[in-house]
Amino acid sequence: MLEGESEVPVAAMKTTVQDVQTPTLISPPESKTPPTETHKRNKIEFPLGNDGNSAPVDASQLSRALEQFEQAGKVRERTPVASPSRKRQRVYGDRFIPNRSGQDLQASFSLLHEDGSPATPSRSAKRTPHNELHFQKTEEANRTYSAVLRQEMFESTVPQGLPQSLSPTDSGNMRNSGRSHTPPTARTTSTLSAPSLTPSTPHKNLFSYQSPRHSISGQPTPSRTPQSRHAINLNARSEIYSLSPVKYSSQRMLLSPQKTPRAVAKVPYKVLDAPDLADDFYLNLVDWGSQNTLGVGLGSCVYMWNSNSGRVTKLCELTDDTVTSVNWIQRGSHIAIGTNRGFVQIWDAQSQRRLRTMMGHTARVGALAWNEHILTSGSRDRTIYHRDVRQPDQWLRKLVGHKQEVCGLKWNSEDGQLASGGNDNKLMVWEKLNAEPTFKWSEHQAAVKAIAWSPHQRGLLASGGGTADRTIKFWNTLISPDGPSASSLAAASASASASGSASVPTSPTAPANLLNSLDTGSQVCNLAWSKNSNEIVSTHGYSQNQIIVWKYPSMQQVVSLTGHTYRVLYLAMSPDGQVIVTGAGDETLRFWNAFKKKERTGGLGGMDNWGVIR
């Protein structure tokens, strides 16, 4: 024994080794598992020397000791067969009232979507023309359900969603808030802004019990019991006298007359083959005349399709030339044809003979427009010609304003205004036969081919841009160029809203004439106003090649029609305003029942006072 060491008995050494072993397991209270007995545990003793000091340990004995220790641990970690049972919480009474502390029901309500109502049809259900009205009624029922639910929960308080931009402090608090947000106290509520109180992730359950003293929106609600026992509530619409499960405001909403959704067939009722129909954005090859005859330019020929008889007639075939545009006169059987070589021909469709050929352009004529006896043509040579068909002259007036091809022309016969669109992204408005444009707008970012004047409101012009623009813009052409300044735009906006037109944009750089701009998401190829209702139809290119009917001025989609496999470059409307025909590069013409028929107010009249075309 070394100096300074004390002698330790062997018995005391064994006791120390036993103390190192795993302590006794004590069962939790109210558990059925009996406590572990000490004498049943496997004891592991390390060999010690006789003198109480550590002796060299044999390797075989150490291995056996480690195996015994591992086996003892496995036995100790084994789960008992009978799991300890937890005592159920005692429930007093026959009702369970959940707790809604830490929930923000306004944020939960914002997670709801319009399709989350019981009336939502199955996604696998296929929409066909036969059940289209059923689908529209179902969508209307879903909107009514959501409106009643919003009215019952929040009354006039509309929940606001989570703001997209938060300060660093707010975003940090949101990340640390977890799954719920504890409402702040009264002192902190006055110093925090409303958006900062919205939780990042609400609870999973959207609805739970509410206190009878407060509504879900957080505003105190009047009690059903009068505050004074002797006071009499004389309000017949009070909730204490109501036998309905919903509020009076919701009852009034449900009992108000509802508009029947207009049934629009999603498939064309007729499809005609149109071989050699050019897939060229800058051409105008389809037009529907007042005598219910459709004119179509196919290659070097012009064909006519009679809507009454369904008969197809070949009007003409050009020699060493191709058709680039066709346009019917407003009243009568005369049709103008533009060619690739820059000629403009006028044909009598009834007698199928050519009346005259007019020259002047040096490139293809892609746009034509009639205004009584004035025929206007736009060409790739960037010029516009006014031609009086009663005079022998080739042209009456030459307009120079566009710097690239003129691809859109439309006359407003009531006000004598001509709208022209070009590949230079410019939209111009010309007064009558003036040589200089009254308006010259460059708001579009692509070629302006789609142009349409509203038949329901004077001076209202719609224009559509190409692939790089994708917008439909509405213009007021009755405002003088030197008229309203920026300070008077507010008054113009108020009057426009009162008259039911689109709202004036708030951008200070926008022209005073621009009423509204709508991003459609795809190339706008054509525009046409309905003759029977205040609606407008647009045809589009990539990527869906759809035809959309819009309600003006709200610009809500009435229906979206698909079927063409190429961009819908051509659009025409029947004389009664009920049917539209669309043409595309897939060499098909599709006829759609898009609008209701309008009652006749009188005949179309004749051409007696127009003079003779020479």
Side-chain angles (χ1 to χ4, degrees):
M1 180 178 298
L2 299 176
E3 186 178 8
E5 291 184 356
S6 59
E7 184 176 357
V8 180
V10 176
M13 197 67 178
K14 291 183 179 181
T15 303
T16 304
V17 173
Q18 292 179 3
D19 294 339
V20 174
Q21 297 178 2
T22 304
T24 303
L25 295 178
I26 303 177
S27 299
E30 299 180 348
S31 176
K32 297 182 180 180
T33 305
T36 307
E37 297 181 6
T38 308
H39 66 275
K40 290 185 179 181
R41 290 187 175 275
N42 297 328
K43 299 180 180 180
I44 303 175
E45 298 182 1
F46 295 95
L48 300 173
N50 295 332
D51 55 354
N53 296 331
S54 299
V57 180
D58 189 5
S60 59
Q61 293 181 359
L62 180 60
S63 299
R64 285 195 300 270
L66 291 176
E67 290 178 0
Q68 293 179 5
F69 182 78
E70 291 177 359
Q71 292 178 1
K74 291 181 181 179
V75 173
R76 184 169 59 252
E77 293 175 359
R78 189 175 302 166
T79 304
V81 177
S83 301
S85 61
R86 300 179 62 181
K87 188 176 182 180
R88 294 185 60 183
Q89 182 180 1
R90 299 184 63 182
V91 179
Y92 299 93
D94 57 347
R95 296 175 58 191
F96 175 72
I97 301 178
N99 185 14
R100 63 184 183 96
S101 62
Q103 297 184 13
D104 193 320
L105 293 180
Q106 289 192 351
S108 300
F109 185 84
S110 64
L111 297 178
L112 295 177
H113 48 83
E114 298 295 333
D115 299 335
S117 56
T120 303
S122 174
R123 292 181 178 269
S124 60
K126 187 176 181 180
R127 300 177 75 150
T128 62
H130 303 286
N131 64 357
E132 181 61 30
L133 183 60
H134 168 71
F135 272 89
Q136 293 184 6
K137 289 183 177 179
T138 302
E139 293 173 357
E140 182 66 23
N142 292 343
R143 288 192 290 268
T144 305
Y145 171 83
S146 300
V148 173
L149 181 61
R150 185 181 296 107
Q151 179 70 23
E152 288 293 309
M153 293 181 59
F154 299 100
E155 296 182 355
S156 60
T157 305
V158 180
Q160 301 294 332
L162 182 66
Q164 297 185 5
S165 60
L166 291 175
S167 61
T169 307
D170 295 336
S171 59
N173 296 336
M174 300 291 284
R175 286 192 296 267
N176 299 331
S177 59
R179 292 186 59 85
S180 63
H181 180 81
T182 304
T185 60
R187 289 182 298 176
T188 58
T189 304
S190 59
T191 59
L192 293 177
S193 59
S196 63
L197 301 180
T198 308
S200 59
T201 307
H203 278 280
K204 184 177 181 181
N205 53 333
L206 296 180
F207 310 110
S208 52
Y209 175 78
Q210 62 168 349
S211 173
R213 296 180 179 270
H214 292 79
S215 64
I216 297 181
S217 59
Q219 302 295 332
T221 57
S223 174
R224 291 181 178 268
T225 305
Q227 297 180 359
S228 175
R229 299 185 177 224
H230 304 286
I232 301 177
N233 192 340
L234 300 179
N235 184 9
R237 296 175 180 175
S238 177
E239 294 184 7
I240 61 176
Y241 304 124
S242 175
L243 300 179
S244 174
V246 296
K247 300 176 182 178
Y248 174 75
S249 57
S250 300
Q251 298 178 39
R252 188 170 54 182
M253 180 190 306
L254 293 174
L255 294 177
S256 61
Q258 301 291 334
K259 273 191 175 182
T260 304
R262 179 161 64 89
V264 180
K266 289 297 188 73
V267 295
Y269 73 90
K270 182 185 290 293
V271 179
L272 297 179
D273 290 330
D276 296 331
L277 184 61
D279 184 22
D280 194 330
F281 176 80
Y282 301 97
L283 305 185
N284 294 272
L285 298 175
V286 178
D287 194 33
W288 206 324
S290 61
Q291 296 186 348
N292 213 6
T293 301
L294 183 70
V296 184
L298 302 177
S300 60
C301 302
V302 175
Y303 291 88
M304 298 184 300
W305 177 78
N306 191 300
S307 177
N308 299 324
S309 62
R311 190 172 129 190
V312 178
T313 305
K314 183 178 178 181
L315 177 63
C316 65
E317 182 175 0
L318 305 180
T319 303
D320 297 331
D321 207 348
T322 57
V323 179
T324 54
S325 58
V326 296
N327 191 254
W328 288 94
I329 196 170
Q330 287 100 324
R331 292 170 287 183
S333 60
H334 295 88
I335 184 173
I337 301 173
T339 71
N340 189 55
R341 297 174 60 183
F343 299 115
V344 177
Q345 299 182 2
I346 300 178
W347 286 71
D348 186 352
Q350 190 171 1
S351 61
Q352 296 187 15
R353 67 185 183 93
R354 185 178 63 186
L355 300 180
R356 63 182 297 183
T357 300
M358 293 176 287
M359 298 177 291
H361 291 294
T362 58
R364 67 179 183 183
V365 180
L368 294 169
W370 284 89
N371 183 21
E372 295 185 352
H373 55 273
I374 299 295
L375 174 61
T376 305
S377 58
S379 172
R380 197 173 192 174
D381 61 7
R382 303 170 294 179
T383 61
I384 299 174
Y385 282 106
H386 289 311
R387 309 172 189 270
D388 191 340
V389 297
R390 302 171 301 179
Q391 299 179 5
D393 299 332
Q394 293 294 319
W395 47 271
L396 180 64
R397 190 64 54 87
K398 180 179 180 180
L399 308 182
V400 178
H402 289 279
K403 297 182 179 179
Q404 292 191 35
E405 180 175 8
V406 179
C407 52
L409 282 177
K410 280 297 187 316
W411 269 104
N412 179 13
S413 301
E414 294 183 2
D415 298 319
Q417 292 179 321
L418 172 69
S420 65
N423 196 34
D424 55 357
N425 308 344
K426 298 293 189 299
L427 175 66
M428 301 185 187
V429 177
W430 314 74
E431 288 290 340
K432 298 180 180 179
L433 301 181
N434 294 345
E436 294 295 330
T438 306
F439 300 105
K440 188 175 182 180
W441 299 311
S442 55
E443 300 300 309
H444 285 287
Q445 305 300 320
V448 183
K449 175 193 175 185
I451 302 173
W453 291 94
S454 172
H456 312 288
Q457 186 173 347
R458 284 191 56 201
L460 179 58
L461 175 65
S463 61
T467 307
D469 184 75
R470 307 182 303 273
T471 64
I472 299 176
K473 300 183 185 299
F474 297 91
W475 310 85
N476 182 3
T477 62
L478 299 182
I479 301 178
S480 173
D482 302 327
S485 59
S487 60
S488 61
L489 284 181
S493 176
S495 61
S497 301
S499 62
S501 61
S503 58
V504 177
T506 57
S507 174
T509 60
N513 306 82
L514 182 58
L515 298 176
N516 193 11
S517 180
L518 174 70
D519 189 354
T520 63
S522 58
Q523 177 189 39
V524 183
C525 302
N526 291 278
L527 287 172
W529 288 89
S530 170
K531 301 177 182 179
N532 309 330
S533 58
N534 199 14
E535 296 174 335
I536 187 171
V537 58
S538 60
T539 66
H540 300 270
Y542 181 82
S543 61
Q544 296 185 12
N545 307 319
Q546 74 272 35
I547 303 109
I548 302 179
V549 179
W550 309 86
K551 186 69 177 178
Y552 187 83
S554 62
M555 292 310 290
Q556 294 180 352
Q557 287 192 22
V558 177
V559 66
S560 179
L561 309 173
T562 56
H564 284 289
T565 56
Y566 281 68
R567 52 185 180 171
V568 188
L569 297 177
Y570 310 108
L571 171 67
M573 186 176 295
S574 62
D576 60 2
Q578 185 178 4
V579 179
I580 59 172
V581 58
T582 56
D586 55 9
E587 299 184 347
T588 61
L589 295 175
R590 298 173 184 265
F591 295 79
W592 314 81
N593 282 311
F595 304 103
K596 292 182 179 180
K597 189 175 182 179
K598 188 178 182 180
E599 297 181 359
R600 293 181 179 270
T601 57
L604 293 176
M607 296 180 60
D608 298 336
N609 57 346
W610 285 22
V612 181
I613 297 179
R614 294 189 290 176

